[in-house]
Amino acid sequence: MKIQEYQAKQIFKNHNIPIPRGQVALNSSFVQQIAEDLGGKVVVKAQVLVGGRGKAGGIRLASNPDEAEEFATEMMGMDIKGYSIHKVLVEEAIDIKKELYLGIATDRVLASPVIIASSYGGVDIEEAAEEAPDKISRITIDPLVGLCDFQIRCLAVSIDLPRKHWRIFRQIALAMWTIYQSHDASLVEINPLVISEENGLVALDGKMTIDDNALFRHPELADLRDLDMENPCEIEAQKYGIAYIHMSGNIGCLVNGAGLAMATMDILKLKGGDPANFLDIGGGAGSEKVSSAFRILLSDKKVKAVLVNIFGGITRCDEIARGIMDALDEQKGKTVPIMIRLVGTNSEKGYEILKSRNLKTATSLVEAAEKTIALAEKK
Ligand code: GDP
Ligand code: MN
């Protein structure tokens, strides 16, 4: 679960990480007053759960309260990378001398938390990592030992941090480590962490991702979930216990088992197709689950064809076939072509059911992928 910048900053503030003064507004008519209270010159920041807002027009520097309100009015309802803006954060504008990067993330390869710092802040860290990998320092944190002073000093040196900011840098890094642990976060990031003439080090942006699997330990964080901002299909899928991840392609995938779902997407890619989603209905799914999965994946308007790839183990292929029929009855008006491959328990029975509807089927995965790609291109 990602949380909004203003929410992350509230957590930062509670842990004594310096942040700019500011207030969130749900309506642009409050913005003028907020800006007035903050001294007039403010930054209006779109609260959406995607990065790169700056480049997309979601971060604007206003020189007076009227302008701030104007910018907020323009932003509200605007779209950034498919997410519409319902909230803006209005903050005092900070003079920036230098932008740094500081983050703590879970490194899956090392199976360990790492603290990352760079003098190359403000930009996408992924971009920086490609352009100037030597400008990024990473230090593994042993979870049993915790973040040590010598590690923080190493980072401070590696980003050429002036000596006078070291004390507060240490305080910020330690606070981030505390936050990372106590919130079961997989990412706590400040980008940019700025050096300002007047204020010293300030966290100008804040990003946090919390491990969904640990959310049950944090009932207090559940309230921070911003359902407006999440993909509605993903929320719907969670309700039915379906693992669904939305992607950018045009071929909907319905598969049982995460590994098989990944393999199905790989084959589609290999054959020149582009999957619209990852969808795993899990083991032993009944017809009801199949039809809700269909509903979810067809609600994506980009889907031009659907590939169903089922391996019947505990899951019975005839159950799946029945689910597909139900889904089709439900989706009457829609005419997205479907390619189905069933292997394993009761597959013959399944195919028989499908035949009664003249549905397209395939026996091998490669054949199914190629045919689905052709169907998607035809549309
Ligand atoms: P992101 O693009 O979504 O990561 O949004 P950020 O909050 O990181 O802001 C992007 C950029 O806007 C920063 O790197 C700064 O250069 C600029 N910016 C944000 N807040 C301020 C501010 O208070 N003063 C000034 N001068 N620039 C700001
Ligand atoms: Mn940022």
Side-chain angles (χ1 to χ4, degrees):
M1 174 178 100
K2 291 179 179 168
I3 62 173
Q4 297 283 10
E5 174 192 7
Y6 76 93
Q7 297 168 324
K9 279 178 165 165
Q10 199 52 52
I11 296 172
F12 289 176
K13 190 178 175 187
N14 296 339
H15 289 79
N16 295 320
I17 295 175
I19 56 163
R21 289 183 303 134
Q23 205 179 320
V24 73
L26 298 165
N27 187 314
S28 58
S29 53
F30 301 126
V31 169
Q32 195 189 21
Q33 188 58 51
I34 296 173
E36 193 98 50
D37 296 344
L38 292 170
K41 200 172 163 209
V42 293
V43 182
V44 182
K45 310 184 79 176
Q47 297 301 287
V48 283
L49 294 175
V50 289
R53 293 166 304 165
K55 288 179 199 156
I59 309 278
R60 298 182 69 181
L61 190 65
S63 44
N64 57 62
D66 287 332
E67 202 175 49
E69 179 169 337
E70 197 183 303
F71 288 167
T73 309
E74 281 173 26
M75 259 184 222
M76 291 284 194
M78 200 178 98
D79 229 60
I80 293 189
K81 297 182 185 171
Y83 293 90
S84 66
I85 303 168
H86 301 294
K87 286 179 197 153
V88 294
L89 174 62
V90 185
E91 279 185 342
E92 60 177 331
I94 300 286
D95 70 290
I96 299 176
K97 232 171 86 183
K98 192 163 172 39
E99 302 195 16
L100 309 168
Y101 176 96
L102 186 61
I104 297 180
T106 308
D107 187 313
R108 286 165 181 265
V109 176
L110 298 171
S112 172
V114 291
I115 182 161
I116 305 162
S118 176
S119 57
Y120 209 87
V123 291
D124 291 331
I125 195 70
E126 293 84 0
E127 223 168 79
E130 265 176 35
E131 282 169 22
D134 55 309
K135 289 261 196 246
I136 297 172
S137 312
R138 301 157 57 89
I139 297 179
T140 314
I141 303 173
D142 183 327
L144 293 179
V145 178
L147 179 61
C148 302
D149 279 346
F150 77 89
Q151 296 176 310
I152 299 171
R153 280 197 296 273
C154 277
L155 286 180
V157 170
S158 75
I159 59 171
D160 290 325
L161 186 71
R163 202 70 191 220
K164 65 173 175 184
H165 301 302
W166 280 26
R167 194 191 55 79
I168 182 73
F169 182 73
R170 172 177 179 272
Q171 181 187 316
I172 293 171
L174 288 174
M176 286 169 80
W177 173 240
T178 304
I179 293 168
Y180 173 89
Q181 285 185 301
S182 61
H183 291 73
D184 284 310
S186 55
L187 177 75
V188 179
E189 182 185 87
I190 302 178
N191 185 30
L193 173 66
V194 303
I195 304 180
S196 104
E197 201 70 71
E198 248 176 83
N199 305 286
L201 288 188
V202 183
L204 218 59
D205 192 8
K207 212 186 215 178
M208 270 178 71
T209 309
I210 293 153
D211 184 350
D212 286 337
N213 296 313
L215 274 179
F216 74 98
R217 300 208 291 204
H218 302 281
E220 79 285 0
L221 296 177
D223 293 342
L224 299 183
R225 177 154 241 162
D226 198 339
L227 290 179
D228 280 358
M229 279 295 146
E230 291 184 31
N231 188 298
C233 292
E234 290 179 13
I235 298 167
E236 172 92 359
Q238 271 176 12
K239 261 199 320 218
Y240 291 98
I242 294 166
Y244 171 90
I245 293 163
H246 180 255
M247 287 187 308
S248 58
N250 64 357
I251 298 176
C253 301
L254 193 155
V255 188
N256 65 330
L260 189 59
M262 297 293 274
T264 306
M265 289 159 61
D266 280 350
I267 297 277
L268 279 173
K269 276 274 188 194
L270 186 69
K271 295 292 168 189
D274 203 2
N277 63 274
F278 167 98
L279 193 156
D280 169 15
I281 54 171
S287 63
E288 203 184 324
K289 211 168 179 185
V290 175
S291 51
S292 46
F294 257 101
R295 202 177 326 128
I296 289 161
L297 72 85
L298 288 179
S299 66
D300 177 357
K301 297 284 168 282
K302 276 203 290 214
V303 170
K304 295 285 177 274
V306 177
L307 171 57
V308 179
N309 186 24
I310 298 295
F311 180 80
I314 304 168
T315 309
R316 287 167 32 210
C317 293
D318 56 324
E319 255 315 284
I320 299 286
R322 243 171 255 127
I324 296 172
M325 306 305 249
D326 290 348
L328 290 178
D329 288 340
E330 220 179 278
Q331 304 284 334
K332 266 184 246 89
K334 294 184 191 160
T335 53
V336 177
I338 302 170
M339 176 59 58
I340 303 155
R341 173 181 180 248
L342 307 171
V343 184
T345 313
N346 291 358
S347 62
E348 292 85 4
K349 248 190 188 165
Y351 276 129
E352 234 163 76
I353 295 170
L354 297 173
K355 233 185 265 163
S356 66
R357 275 275 188 112
N358 285 327
L359 285 168
K360 300 179 183 66
T361 59
T363 38
S364 83
L365 178 50
V366 170
E367 179 199 352
E370 283 171 344
K371 284 184 172 170
T372 316
I373 294 167
L375 289 170
E377 276 162 6
K378 237 194 296 175
K379 281 280 279 188

